[in-house]
Amino acid sequence: MKNQIFYCVLFVLWGFCAHTGKAQNTFPFQNPDLSFEKRVDDLVSRLTLEEKISQMLNKAPAIERLGIPAYDWWNECLHGVGRTPYKVTVFPQAIGMAATWDDALFQQVASSIADEGRAIYHDAISKGVHEIYHGLTYWTPNINIFRDPRWGRGQETYGEDPYLTGTLGKAFVNGLQGDDPKYLKASACAKHYAVHSGPEISRHFFNTEVSMYDLWDTYLPAFRDLVVDAKVSSVMCAYNALAGQPCCGNDLLMQDILRKQWKFTGYVTSDCGAIDDFLKHKTHADAAHASADAVLHGTDLECGQNIYVKLVDAVKQGLITEAQIDESVKRLFMTRFRLGLFDPADRVKYADTPLSVLECDEHKALALKMSRESVVLLKNDNVLPLRKNLKKIAVIGPNADDSTVVLGNYNGFPSKVITPLEAIRSKVGKRTQVIYDRAIDCVKPSDEKTLNALIERLKGVDQVIFVGGISPRLEGEELPISVDGFRGGDRTTIALPEVQTELMKKMKEAGLPVIFVMMTGSALGIEWESQNIPAILNAWYGGQFAGQAIADVLFGDYNPSGKLPVTFYRSDSDLPPFGAFSMANRTYRYFKGEALYPFGFGLSYTMFDYSVPQVVSGGKVGEPIKVSVKVKNIGKKNGDEVVQLYLSHEGVEKAPITALKGFKRVYLKAGEEKTLSFEISPRDMSLPDDNGIITVFPGKKTIYAGGMSPTSEAKSKGLVKSSVCQITGDAYVIR
């Protein structure tokens, strides 16, 4: 009788442990002393087919009999931990961060974001929360090339240049994933792979046809940088098709390039709903065929529609084997093991990150620094900086006191946002009167009588600061918007909304002194403003400290240093059709017209002078070129300069007009001079041929150095200096 009681109690305890998922190190996969590979192999061998497939959905359920907790793979951290109920530090939108050209700061910011994500994850797990936006697998960064300023999601990218995008992207991945040799701090994801940059309205079914030259010259380099160099742990395949095959089931992208050439071993997730889009592309008969083909091409995780449940049918139909499914399931569990999610907390150095890191002073200081560095001074006719003792200032415009517009999209929520109005009020003295009026909406026309009354009210002010631009409510991912100038999240014109230009015209006609502060996720066509407004700031969507950064620049407490990561064109007539993916006449690398504000441009309250760049070593095919350049602050104020290095190929058909190959941010006191060194690698000197074979060609190369891209005007005014290097030898194939 006693033995019967003992075995009954033992059975109940075993059942309780199995039910609660508290199996106690009874399987090899639970042994932290074994290699991740052995543990993953052991775990997957114990799963049924249905259990394996359940783990290939973004909302993976618990497998209680093995003590495997539920896990939702979907999380975001584009510029701070996104969409979480916790209060977090919010940095400038990605395009604004790119305007800093500060890769060291990028890595610091990404590391701080990972810290906040770790704190949230461990707090959530302690409370039994395994929901979306609580995990450690972040689907960031977006490294698509911002080929056309009308794309509403371009705000999520690092701009139009492959080199800048790749460099900043690598820094972000390194910061997010951490430096531990065994464990990831968080998992980064390079998206959207590939050739994905609008239009939003047709993204679920459009097919892109691009030349192999454009594919390898523009659309793939940043992905290669993150996969090969930064060892990013995840890639997201895009909605669209490339050359007739959906990206998530594409022979060239997924099998040949990603897995074979780049040797990628991490997991691939679909964009959310992308497997369902196989049916919209009309390339697959049904969900079973679509699911099997996606997995066979290496798409391990399906986000969105749970079509992967049809993999059970696919196995029964002989479309895919269980062993082939195992490959994907192993890659997914390898990521979870690398994050330390199956190990004791004392084994994982990131597991004790406290909630006190959320919005801590260090992170807020990084956010303010990033916001300041992101502001680009586009024009200044000796108006800025402003005096703090002006008698009367008017702050008007739709974005002057909007605490949501500064947050961009894919954002989290801080405890406090500082708007431009609030920051300006706190900046000036008590004797300065600050008048505020929203005046107009971003796009809606206002009553003429009301505007005339406003103009009358503003007469006699010392300075009008108009804070306008556009809004993430108008541009963004697949938005249900259709108003003048905006459709589906994209823009139908690059022009600043007419209502804003008309108001500025009225103020100018009334003799009011106006400064224009723009908030935007993209380039705007502001030719009238450029000709008629004496000072223009581009402030992007600047994060929780956007207002303070703007006020610091306006009143001279920070010397502006931001540089444009995109070309500001004059008008729509400068642009090819939005749906054309050829790079001909697109971005500064191939644009043959005259930009309003060129790529890399940004003014300062001081002046910098450059020497002619000197080739220190190199000159043969296959060798790097080492270059030095002197830069001197010849003005009266201390400040940062972003020193930029460009390369042009002479006599090479299809080569870019010029292309960025190096940059460094440097702080110089008034009168100070520094010599900076750069190395242009053979890969940086290479070009793809019509078959995508990447080759270094001999011949004459012109090297430019300056604080902006080498436009004809910049060269004629001596703002950019150049020298010529002759590369000798035989053509050298890199790939």
Side-chain angles (χ1 to χ4, degrees):
M1 183 69 178
K2 290 181 179 179
N3 286 340
Q4 288 178 324
I5 294 172
F6 171 78
Y7 284 115
C8 285
V9 171
L10 185 64
F11 180 78
V12 170
L13 288 173
W14 176 87
F16 174 77
C17 289
H19 178 71
T20 57
K22 294 181 180 178
Q24 300 296 314
N25 291 323
T26 57
F27 304 117
F29 78 81
Q30 295 168 319
N31 182 356
D33 293 323
L34 295 179
S35 70
F36 288 155
E37 288 77 13
K38 289 181 179 179
R39 296 170 71 186
V40 167
D41 286 346
D42 177 70
L43 189 158
V44 174
S45 72
R46 299 178 186 281
L47 303 179
T48 67
L49 174 62
E50 288 77 10
E51 286 173 334
K52 292 172 184 176
I53 292 169
S54 74
Q55 299 302 297
M56 298 171 70
L57 307 175
N58 71 276
K59 191 174 181 63
I63 302 175
E64 294 181 352
R65 67 182 183 86
L66 295 176
I68 299 171
Y71 185 76
D72 198 309
W73 291 79
W74 189 348
N75 209 345
E76 309 285 354
C77 69
L78 184 62
H79 52 118
V81 180
R83 300 174 175 177
T84 173
Y86 295 77
K87 295 298 183 182
V88 295
T89 310
V90 178
F91 299 87
Q93 177 58 292
I95 193 69
M97 292 200 295
T100 69
W101 294 55
D102 193 337
D103 50 329
L105 183 58
F106 254 73
Q107 186 160 335
Q108 289 178 281
V109 164
S111 180
S112 75
I113 292 171
D115 286 338
E116 296 200 5
R118 271 280 173 179
I120 290 169
Y121 171 77
H122 293 297
D123 184 69
I125 291 302
S126 72
K127 298 172 180 175
V129 177
H130 301 268
E131 301 299 324
I132 189 173
Y133 305 137
H134 289 81
L136 292 173
T137 41
Y138 292 100
W139 292 344
T140 299
N142 182 342
I143 55 169
N144 292 130
I145 295 301
F146 196 1
R147 65 181 177 88
D148 192 300
R150 290 167 289 198
W151 185 35
R153 294 192 73 182
Q155 62 176 289
E156 302 171 27
T157 75
Y158 300 145
E160 68 184 36
D161 180 73
Y163 182 91
L164 180 64
T165 297
T167 302
L168 298 180
K170 286 188 292 185
F172 197 93
V173 169
N174 290 335
L176 198 68
Q177 296 192 165
D179 58 2
D180 188 83
K182 183 174 183 179
Y183 294 106
L184 295 170
K185 184 187 282 192
S187 170
C189 176
K191 68 181 188 184
H192 311 82
Y193 183 67
V195 197
H196 179 80
S197 51
E200 284 298 293
I201 199 167
S202 59
R203 67 182 187 158
H204 292 289
F205 53 83
F206 74 72
N207 175 56
T208 55
E209 297 283 353
V210 298
S211 68
M212 291 297 286
Y213 178 87
D214 281 345
L215 182 66
W216 285 99
D217 177 63
T218 296
Y219 292 109
L220 292 185
F223 283 99
R224 185 242 168 236
D225 287 347
L226 268 62
V227 170
V228 177
D229 296 338
K231 308 301 180 187
V232 70
S233 56
S234 173
V235 170
M236 176 183 283
C237 48
Y239 288 122
N240 56 283
L242 175 68
Q245 283 187 307
C247 286
C248 293
N250 194 281
D251 295 343
L252 176 64
L253 292 177
M254 297 290 289
Q255 293 180 322
D256 182 24
I257 297 174
L258 185 62
R259 299 291 188 187
K260 183 178 178 182
Q261 293 187 37
W262 294 346
K263 312 296 183 186
F264 180 63
T265 59
Y267 83 92
V268 173
T269 179
S270 76
D271 203 343
C272 297
I275 310 305
D276 183 52
D277 287 350
F278 282 31
L279 307 183
K280 296 176 184 177
H281 290 301
K282 299 181 179 179
T283 54
H284 294 74
D286 52 36
H289 282 79
S291 297
D293 200 33
V295 175
L296 289 172
H297 279 85
T299 303
D300 307 304
L301 185 77
E302 185 222 344
C303 175
Q305 304 300 318
N306 293 348
I307 282 182
Y308 269 13
V309 297
K310 294 296 183 180
L311 285 168
V312 175
D313 294 339
V315 172
K316 292 177 181 178
Q317 295 174 39
L319 302 176
I320 191 171
T321 67
E322 186 170 352
Q324 289 168 321
I325 287 174
D326 286 351
E327 293 181 29
S328 287
V329 180
K330 287 179 180 181
R331 285 194 284 257
L332 292 170
F333 274 110
M334 178 59 75
T335 302
R336 291 175 70 176
F337 274 99
R338 290 184 69 202
L339 287 165
L341 306 191
F342 292 91
D343 288 357
D346 59 3
R347 293 283 190 109
V348 185
K349 78 174 186 179
Y350 306 118
D352 61 351
T353 308
L355 276 178
S356 59
V357 302
L358 302 185
E359 290 191 296
C360 66
D361 290 344
E362 179 184 354
H363 294 180
K364 288 192 287 188
L366 284 174
L368 176 58
K369 180 177 173 62
M370 185 67 90
S371 294
R372 284 170 169 165
E373 289 189 10
S374 72
V375 176
V376 182
L377 179 60
L378 295 177
K379 184 181 179 184
N380 184 22
D381 289 346
N382 297 316
V383 174
L384 298 175
L386 298 173
R387 292 185 292 111
K388 296 179 183 177
N389 61 352
L390 296 173
K391 292 182 179 180
K392 187 183 292 187
I393 295 175
V395 182
I396 65 171
N399 292 336
D401 196 34
D402 191 323
S403 61
T404 61
V405 70
V406 298
L407 299 180
N409 71 359
Y410 277 87
N411 59 287
F413 298 94
S415 299
K416 180 176 175 56
V417 171
I418 301 175
T419 67
L421 174 64
E422 182 182 355
I424 290 168
R425 278 178 171 161
S426 65
K427 185 73 67 174
V428 298
K430 294 181 179 180
R431 295 183 179 181
T432 300
Q433 181 184 359
V434 178
I435 299 171
Y436 166 67
D437 197 313
R438 191 171 189 274
I440 56 173
D441 183 73
C442 275
V443 293
K444 291 180 186 175
S446 292
D447 176 70
E448 189 75 13
K449 184 177 179 180
T450 301
L451 291 183
N452 288 337
L454 173 64
I455 298 297
E456 285 297 317
R457 182 186 175 202
L458 295 178
K459 287 182 178 179
V461 300
D462 296 298
Q463 187 65 61
V464 176
I465 302 172
F466 176 73
V467 188
I470 51 180
S471 161
R473 301 186 192 100
L474 297 170
E475 59 169 350
E477 183 176 8
E478 206 171 19
L479 297 179
I481 296 291
S482 184
V483 297
D484 189 29
F486 301 87
R487 184 186 181 205
D490 295 324
R491 289 187 287 155
T492 58
T493 174
I494 67 169
L496 180 72
E498 187 177 4
V499 62
Q500 297 184 44
T501 299
E502 289 304 312
L503 176 55
M504 281 187 274
K505 285 181 177 179
K506 282 181 174 290
M507 291 191 289
K508 178 178 171 59
E509 290 169 1
L512 297 171
V514 180
I515 291 170
F516 181 27
V517 176
M518 290 192 298
M519 291 182 183
T520 173
S522 180
L524 292 174
I526 52 169
E527 188 159 20
W528 182 89
E529 289 76 11
S530 181
Q531 293 174 358
N532 293 277
I533 302 298
I536 303 174
L537 288 184
N538 194 57
W540 314 102
Y541 304 133
Q544 69 186 91
F545 291 105
Q548 184 173 337
I550 290 167
D552 286 345
V553 171
L554 288 174
F555 291 94
D557 290 328
Y558 182 79
N559 190 351
S561 59
K563 302 287 185 177
L564 293 178
V566 290
T567 300
F568 270 51
Y569 303 95
R570 294 180 180 275
S571 68
D572 298 330
S573 62
D574 286 333
L575 301 173
F578 186 15
F581 280 77
S582 166
M583 293 306 296
N585 210 39
R586 286 195 183 279
T587 76
Y588 82 98
R589 297 166 72 234
Y590 294 102
F591 179 55
K592 296 178 181 177
E594 183 182 352
L596 182 63
Y597 296 109
F599 176 84
F601 177 82
L603 298 174
S604 170
Y605 292 151
T606 189
M607 295 285 292
F608 300 95
D609 185 51
Y610 286 80
S611 70
V612 172
Q614 300 295 314
V615 177
V616 178
S617 64
K620 294 182 179 179
V621 167
E623 293 180 348
I625 300 175
K626 294 185 178 180
V627 180
S628 69
V629 61
K630 293 180 181 179
V631 58
K632 184 175 182 179
N633 183 342
I634 59 174
K636 297 180 180 180
K637 293 181 180 292
N638 304 338
D640 281 7
E641 171 69 324
V642 178
V643 180
Q644 303 164 40
L645 203 72
Y646 294 84
L647 180 74
S648 296
H649 303 262
E650 294 192 25
V652 179
E653 188 180 3
K654 293 186 179 180
I657 298 167
T658 192
L660 180 71
K661 297 301 176 185
F663 63 90
K664 290 184 179 181
R665 176 178 275 268
V666 58
Y667 176 78
L668 293 170
K669 296 179 181 179
E672 185 179 7
E673 180 181 79
K674 288 185 179 179
T675 299
L676 302 180
S677 298
F678 295 88
E679 183 173 288
I680 304 174
S681 71
R683 179 171 292 277
D684 292 331
M685 286 182 275
S686 67
L687 290 169
D689 65 13
D690 290 338
N691 297 311
I693 303 301
I694 299 172
T695 306
V696 182
F697 297 97
K700 189 181 292 186
K701 317 293 180 186
T702 303
I703 299 168
Y704 300 93
M708 60 186 292
S709 54
T711 63
S712 57
E713 182 180 7
K715 288 185 286 186
S716 66
K717 291 183 177 180
L719 301 175
V720 173
K721 305 291 177 64
S722 66
S723 62
V724 174
C725 179
Q726 184 72 40
I727 304 297
T728 62
D730 298 323
Y732 172 74
V733 175
I734 291 181
R735 186 202 68 81

